Amino acid sequence: MKKEWKNPFWENAAKDRLTVRLNITHDDGSFSTTVAKVSKFDVDGKITSDYEEVISQNTMEEIDKFTEDRLERHRQEREANIKKQKEKHEAKRLEDLFNYKLQTFEIPEIKESTNRKLKAKIRKAKNVIEMQAYATILLMEKYNEEIKSE
Amino acid sequence: MRKSNPSKGFVTVASKKKTFLMGVDNLKESILDYYPEAKITLFTEQRFIDDPDCQLYFRYFDQVLPTPSDTNREKMWGMANSPYDLTFYMDADTEARHEDIKNVFNHLEDGKYDMAYVNLTKAGSGYFAEWEWGPNLYDDGWQGAPDHLAHCGGVALYDMRNPLVKEFMQDWYDLFLLQRAGRWSPPEFDNIRTGNFRQWDQLTLWWLIYHSPKYRSLRWKFFEDNYRWNYFTSFGFNKDGTYNYDYVDPNRDYGKNNPDPVVIHYSSWMDKDGVKGFL
């Protein structure tokens, strides 16, 4: 049986516990692989044979590097996920805003209005408050026209 | 011999649902916001043209013309029947957001190219429903026909002075309807063993561009400032006013000129059945 301890990284700052991929080639030629937890010390405080095997196949520098690389990879993944969530949120906000604008343009007084300058302001509004403000101005304009004509 | 002073205009299409008329009305107004003298033609169903409730949507269009049918792919028929020599087609769920919309026709470089498209990139592929079915990818040094939908059909710029271009668009329409009905399946489709690509009109476009002998002479290109002409909302917008071109299209340099998108495509969460409204 051949045991290979691959890609070990420290589980803790004390560096007395490792996570490592264990590849085993059995005597009959079959192959198995698993993720193993390896402690440096056993219950009596003696260094374990598994730990010694890991250390014999991987230098301390390599284990430190695997640990740092893994932390960095996880940090980047976390940052990418946060960024993606923010983007998704902002994209959803803009899609919703677009929907609100189309609904605003369906208000009969706004739909019929020929004041394209104000309609453009509604279209270019960056948020719902700005959109509503311009829609209100346009409705006020129509309202005032009605009052005058009465 | 091509006309030396080509007419220029925009084409958009709304079929099936009135909600798409809301979209094309907004699109038309957004173009006119930046380009007041723009000529814009709408293709829509005759029943909408005849509907008194729809007339306000049609204001300020140069022409409103009927489509022959009511499928959700009448757009290619509209593209084939553009009244303009140089035509920029835009989907109903797009919006012009930059004054460069006025300069779109320059991208055909005075007759050097017959068509220009937006390139759907490998880095952006995560944002599309389906994109690739094989290893030959455009962004990885593609050779021959790429194994993916490289061309976006959301916008298209083309020169109708070349009669082949009109035939190309008409074939796109006719072949797609046959493809969707399962009545047209060229041998090249047999290489596609994954996904559900036959539902997409972009697959028809892929075949016409890369495999149709008839259209081999057409000269096409991708927009240099690619996604500026079709920036999907799903690509994301940053609070600081920047865009995510570096993520979705890292092989192009968007820093050379103004990077603000010219066309925004609100397609990600669109509910085209209209249950929630337009979106």
Side-chain angles (χ1 to χ4, degrees):
Chain A
M1 183 174 72
K2 184 183 164 196
K3 285 161 84 176
E4 287 179 297
W5 300 90
K6 296 278 191 187
N7 303 337
F9 61 86
W10 299 114
E11 281 280 351
N12 56 2
K15 296 188 179 179
D16 60 5
R17 209 165 53 239
L18 289 159
T19 295
V20 55
R21 177 158 291 282
L22 173 59
N23 293 340
I24 301 174
T25 308
H26 299 276
D27 293 338
D28 62 358
S30 63
F31 176 82
S32 61
T33 183
T34 186
V35 175
K37 304 279 184 190
V38 174
S39 291
K40 184 174 181 181
F41 303 108
D42 63 15
V43 286
D44 298 326
K46 289 180 183 164
I47 293 180
T48 62
S49 58
D50 280 352
Y51 180 81
E52 282 180 336
E53 260 188 61
V54 174
I55 298 302
S56 70
Q57 293 180 20
N58 301 271
T59 66
M60 283 292 180
E61 289 75 24
E62 283 171 338
I63 298 174
D64 285 346
K65 187 163 187 330
F66 280 133
T67 307
E68 280 164 24
D69 288 352
R70 180 175 174 274
L71 285 174
E72 177 60 17
R73 197 168 60 246
H74 281 219
R75 190 186 62 75
Q76 284 178 2
E77 279 170 13
R78 263 197 314 277
E79 280 178 6
N81 279 340
I82 291 168
K83 185 175 188 319
K84 200 163 189 174
Q85 282 305 314
K86 277 187 186 166
E87 285 169 13
K88 203 170 175 179
H89 186 263
E90 180 62 3
K92 176 77 168 65
R93 188 187 72 80
L94 286 174
E95 296 258 0
D96 287 345
L97 180 60
F98 179 63
N99 198 18
Y100 295 140
K101 285 175 186 175
L102 294 188
Q103 288 176 42
T104 302
F105 288 126
E106 284 297 295
I107 297 169
E109 290 84 354
I110 295 178
K111 193 173 183 179
E112 289 161 16
S113 170
T114 54
N115 188 336
R116 299 186 57 214
K117 198 172 170 184
L118 262 177
K119 287 170 101 168
K121 294 262 189 202
I122 296 171
R123 187 171 8 268
K124 293 175 186 174
K126 290 190 173 3
N127 55 55
V128 174
I129 308 297
E130 189 182 348
M131 179 197 80
Q132 285 177 331
Y134 286 123
T136 305
I137 295 171
L138 191 46
L139 289 170
M140 281 297 293
E141 186 186 84
K142 297 290 280 186
Y143 178 74
N144 288 337
E145 279 171 17
E146 278 174 26
I147 296 289
K148 266 187 202 169
S149 64
E150 278 174 9
Chain B
M1 187 71 179
R2 294 187 188 202
K3 264 166 51 184
S4 58
N5 194 16
S7 59
K8 299 170 185 172
F10 299 81
V11 160
T12 188
V13 179
S15 58
K16 288 198 92 69
K17 291 183 185 301
K18 270 190 189 178
T19 47
F20 288 110
L21 288 175
M22 292 162 62
V24 293
D25 185 25
N26 181 70
L27 166 62
K28 168 248 308 173
E29 294 288 341
S30 72
I31 296 168
L32 294 173
D33 285 346
Y34 296 103
Y35 188 8
E37 62 275 24
K39 300 277 188 203
I40 309 164
T41 286
L42 168 66
F43 288 89
T44 190
E45 292 176 46
Q46 187 65 54
R47 66 187 170 112
F48 294 141
I49 295 174
D50 296 338
D51 184 343
D53 289 344
C54 293
Q55 299 310 303
L56 282 174
Y57 296 122
F58 303 146
R59 283 184 303 182
Y60 312 120
F61 275 110
D62 177 34
Q63 298 183 51
V64 178
L65 301 171
T67 54
S69 185
D70 62 353
T71 75
N72 60 358
R73 283 299 176 270
E74 294 304 290
K75 73 180 224 182
M76 285 92 88
W77 194 90
M79 291 169 89
N81 289 280
S82 167
Y84 314 112
D85 296 323
L86 305 187
T87 300
F88 190 46
Y89 165 81
M90 301 172 77
D91 268 357
D93 52 348
T94 60
E95 185 179 88
R97 289 288 286 269
H98 195 279
E99 62 185 359
D100 280 355
I101 194 75
K102 287 190 286 194
N103 307 321
V104 63
F105 305 105
N106 297 342
H107 286 261
L108 290 176
E109 301 181 39
D110 284 331
K112 186 175 173 189
Y113 293 97
D114 296 305
M115 304 188 290
Y117 292 92
V118 167
N119 176 208
L120 299 174
T121 56
K122 179 183 173 185
S125 63
Y127 296 96
F128 313 132
E130 286 190 291
W131 183 74
E132 58 89 16
W133 57 82
N136 189 23
L137 306 185
Y138 192 87
D139 288 352
D140 290 345
W142 135 97
Q143 290 184 332
D147 294 340
H148 62 92
L149 303 177
H151 296 68
C152 173
V155 300
L157 177 65
Y158 52 97
D159 188 342
M160 294 278 280
R161 290 175 300 174
N162 181 346
L164 256 188
V165 171
K166 180 182 171 70
E167 291 178 37
F168 179 95
M169 299 300 175
Q170 187 64 46
D171 274 350
W172 187 7
Y173 175 68
D174 293 335
L175 291 174
F176 173 68
L177 294 182
L178 291 172
Q179 170 191 320
R180 189 163 64 176
R183 289 163 49 210
W184 178 70
S185 182
E188 291 79 9
F189 283 9
D190 293 341
N191 297 327
I192 305 168
R193 299 190 186 282
T194 61
N196 200 15
F197 288 93
R198 289 178 202 211
Q199 69 180 303
W200 306 116
D201 56 61
Q202 284 148 286
L203 182 65
T204 331
L205 179 61
W206 168 84
W207 187 87
L208 286 166
I209 283 182
Y210 291 109
H211 292 293
S212 170
K214 180 178 175 184
Y215 298 115
R216 208 160 279 163
S217 65
L218 287 182
R219 298 153 306 161
W220 61 268
K221 69 171 208 175
F222 292 128
F223 285 95
E224 289 80 9
D225 43 359
N226 196 37
Y227 281 132
R228 281 193 80 209
W229 295 94
N230 192 74
Y231 192 88
F232 290 102
T233 46
S234 55
F235 287 170
F237 298 83
N238 302 318
K239 292 275 185 199
D240 61 2
T242 59
Y243 304 93
N244 292 317
Y245 298 115
D246 289 348
Y247 290 93
V248 295
D249 198 3
N251 296 331
R252 288 185 176 85
D253 180 8
Y254 287 85
K256 283 188 293 191
N257 300 306
N258 189 328
D260 294 338
V262 184
V263 177
I264 301 278
H265 200 150
Y266 294 92
S267 67
S268 327
W269 285 277
M270 181 186 277
D271 167 23
K272 288 183 173 166
D273 291 331
V275 177
K276 292 181 283 184
F278 191 78
L279 295 177

Coordinates of all heavy atoms in Angstrom, one line a residue, chain A residues 7-10 61-78:
Chain A
N7 N -1.3 18.4 -0.6 CA -1.8 19.7 -0.3 C -2.2 19.9 1.1 O -3.4 20.4 1.4 CB -3.1 19.9 -1.2 CG -2.8 19.8 -2.7 OD1 -1.6 20.0 -3.1 ND2 -3.8 19.5 -3.5
P8 N -1.4 19.7 2.1 CA -1.8 19.9 3.5 C -1.8 21.4 3.8 O -1.0 22.2 3.3 CB -0.6 19.2 4.3 CG 0.5 19.2 3.3 CD 0.0 19.2 1.9
F9 N -2.7 21.7 4.7 CA -2.8 23.1 5.2 C -3.1 23.1 6.7 O -3.8 22.2 7.2 CB -3.7 24.0 4.4 CG -5.1 23.6 4.5 CD1 -6.0 24.0 5.5 CD2 -5.7 22.8 3.5 CE1 -7.3 23.6 5.5 CE2 -7.0 22.4 3.5 CZ -7.8 22.8 4.5
W10 N -2.6 24.1 7.4 CA -2.8 24.2 8.8 C -4.3 24.5 9.1 O -4.9 25.4 8.5 CB -1.9 25.2 9.5 CG -0.5 25.0 9.3 CD1 0.4 25.7 8.6 CD2 0.3 23.9 9.9 NE1 1.7 25.1 8.7 CE2 1.6 24.0 9.5 CE3 -0.1 22.8 10.7 CZ2 2.6 23.1 9.8 CZ3 0.9 21.9 11.1 CH2 2.2 22.0 10.6
E61 N 7.7 24.7 4.8 CA 7.5 25.9 3.9 C 6.3 25.6 2.9 O 5.5 26.5 2.6 CB 8.7 26.2 3.1 CG 9.9 26.8 3.9 CD 10.6 25.7 4.8 OE1 10.5 24.5 4.4 OE2 11.2 26.1 5.8
E62 N 6.3 24.4 2.4 CA 5.2 24.0 1.5 C 3.8 24.1 2.2 O 2.8 24.6 1.6 CB 5.4 22.6 0.9 CG 6.5 22.6 -0.2 CD 6.8 21.1 -0.6 OE1 6.6 20.2 0.2 OE2 7.4 21.0 -1.7
I63 N 3.8 23.5 3.4 CA 2.5 23.5 4.1 C 2.1 25.0 4.4 O 0.9 25.3 4.3 CB 2.6 22.7 5.4 CG1 3.0 21.3 5.1 CG2 1.3 22.8 6.3 CD1 3.3 20.4 6.3
D64 N 3.1 25.8 4.8 CA 2.7 27.2 5.1 C 2.2 27.9 3.8 O 1.2 28.7 3.8 CB 4.0 28.0 5.6 CG 4.3 27.6 7.0 OD1 3.4 27.1 7.7 OD2 5.4 27.9 7.4
K65 N 2.8 27.5 2.7 CA 2.4 28.1 1.4 C 1.0 27.7 1.0 O 0.1 28.5 0.6 CB 3.4 27.8 0.3 CG 3.1 28.6 -1.0 CD 4.2 28.6 -1.9 CE 4.0 29.5 -3.1 NZ 2.6 29.6 -3.6
F66 N 0.7 26.4 1.2 CA -0.6 25.8 0.9 C -1.6 26.6 1.7 O -2.7 26.9 1.3 CB -0.7 24.3 1.2 CG -0.1 23.5 0.1 CD1 0.7 22.4 0.4 CD2 -0.5 23.7 -1.2 CE1 1.3 21.6 -0.6 CE2 0.0 22.9 -2.2 CZ 0.9 21.8 -1.9
T67 N -1.3 26.8 3.0 CA -2.2 27.4 4.0 C -2.5 28.9 3.5 O -3.6 29.3 3.5 CB -1.6 27.4 5.4 OG1 -1.3 26.1 5.7 CG2 -2.6 28.0 6.4
E68 N -1.4 29.6 3.2 CA -1.6 31.0 2.8 C -2.3 31.1 1.5 O -3.2 31.9 1.3 CB -0.2 31.7 2.6 CG 0.4 32.1 3.9 CD 1.9 32.4 3.8 OE1 2.4 32.7 2.7 OE2 2.6 32.2 4.9
D69 N -2.0 30.2 0.5 CA -2.7 30.2 -0.8 C -4.2 30.0 -0.6 O -5.0 30.6 -1.3 CB -2.1 29.2 -1.7 CG -0.7 29.6 -2.2 OD1 -0.3 30.7 -1.9 OD2 -0.1 28.7 -2.9
R70 N -4.5 29.0 0.3 CA -5.9 28.7 0.5 C -6.6 29.9 1.1 O -7.7 30.2 0.7 CB -6.0 27.5 1.4 CG -7.4 27.0 1.7 CD -7.4 25.7 2.5 NE -8.7 25.4 2.9 CZ -9.3 25.8 4.0 NH1 -8.6 26.6 4.8 NH2 -10.5 25.5 4.3
L71 N -6.0 30.5 2.1 CA -6.6 31.7 2.8 C -6.9 32.8 1.8 O -7.9 33.4 1.7 CB -5.8 32.2 3.9 CG -5.8 31.3 5.2 CD1 -4.8 31.8 6.2 CD2 -7.2 31.3 5.8
E72 N -5.9 33.0 0.9 CA -6.0 34.0 -0.1 C -7.1 33.7 -1.1 O -7.9 34.6 -1.5 CB -4.6 34.2 -0.8 CG -4.6 35.2 -1.9 CD -4.9 36.7 -1.5 OE1 -4.9 36.9 -0.3 OE2 -5.3 37.5 -2.4
R73 N -7.1 32.5 -1.5 CA -8.2 32.0 -2.4 C -9.6 32.3 -1.8 O -10.5 32.8 -2.5 CB -8.0 30.6 -2.8 CG -8.7 30.1 -4.0 CD -8.2 28.7 -4.5 NE -8.4 27.7 -3.5 CZ -7.4 27.0 -2.9 NH1 -6.2 27.3 -3.2 NH2 -7.7 26.1 -2.0
H74 N -9.7 31.9 -0.6 CA -11.0 32.0 0.1 C -11.3 33.5 0.2 O -12.5 33.9 0.1 CB -11.0 31.4 1.5 CG -11.2 29.9 1.3 ND1 -11.9 29.1 2.2 CD2 -10.7 29.0 0.4 CE1 -11.9 27.9 1.8 NE2 -11.2 27.8 0.8
R75 N -10.3 34.3 0.5 CA -10.6 35.8 0.7 C -11.1 36.4 -0.6 O -12.0 37.1 -0.7 CB -9.3 36.5 1.1 CG -9.5 37.9 1.5 CD -8.1 38.6 1.8 NE -7.3 38.6 0.6 CZ -7.4 39.5 -0.4 NH1 -8.4 40.3 -0.4 NH2 -6.6 39.4 -1.4
Q76 N -10.4 35.9 -1.7 CA -10.8 36.4 -3.1 C -12.2 36.0 -3.4 O -13.0 36.7 -4.0 CB -9.8 36.0 -4.1 CG -8.5 36.8 -4.1 CD -7.5 36.3 -5.1 OE1 -7.7 35.4 -5.9 NE2 -6.3 36.9 -5.0
E77 N -12.5 34.7 -3.1 CA -13.8 34.2 -3.4 C -14.9 35.0 -2.6 O -15.9 35.3 -3.2 CB -13.9 32.7 -3.0 CG -13.3 31.8 -4.1 CD -13.2 30.3 -3.6 OE1 -13.8 30.0 -2.5 OE2 -12.5 29.6 -4.3
R78 N -14.6 35.3 -1.3 CA -15.5 36.0 -0.5 C -15.7 37.4 -1.1 O -16.9 37.9 -1.3 CB -15.0 36.2 0.9 CG -15.5 35.2 1.9 CD -15.3 35.6 3.3 NE -14.0 36.1 3.6 CZ -12.9 35.3 3.9 NH1 -13.1 34.0 3.9 NH2 -11.7 35.8 4.1

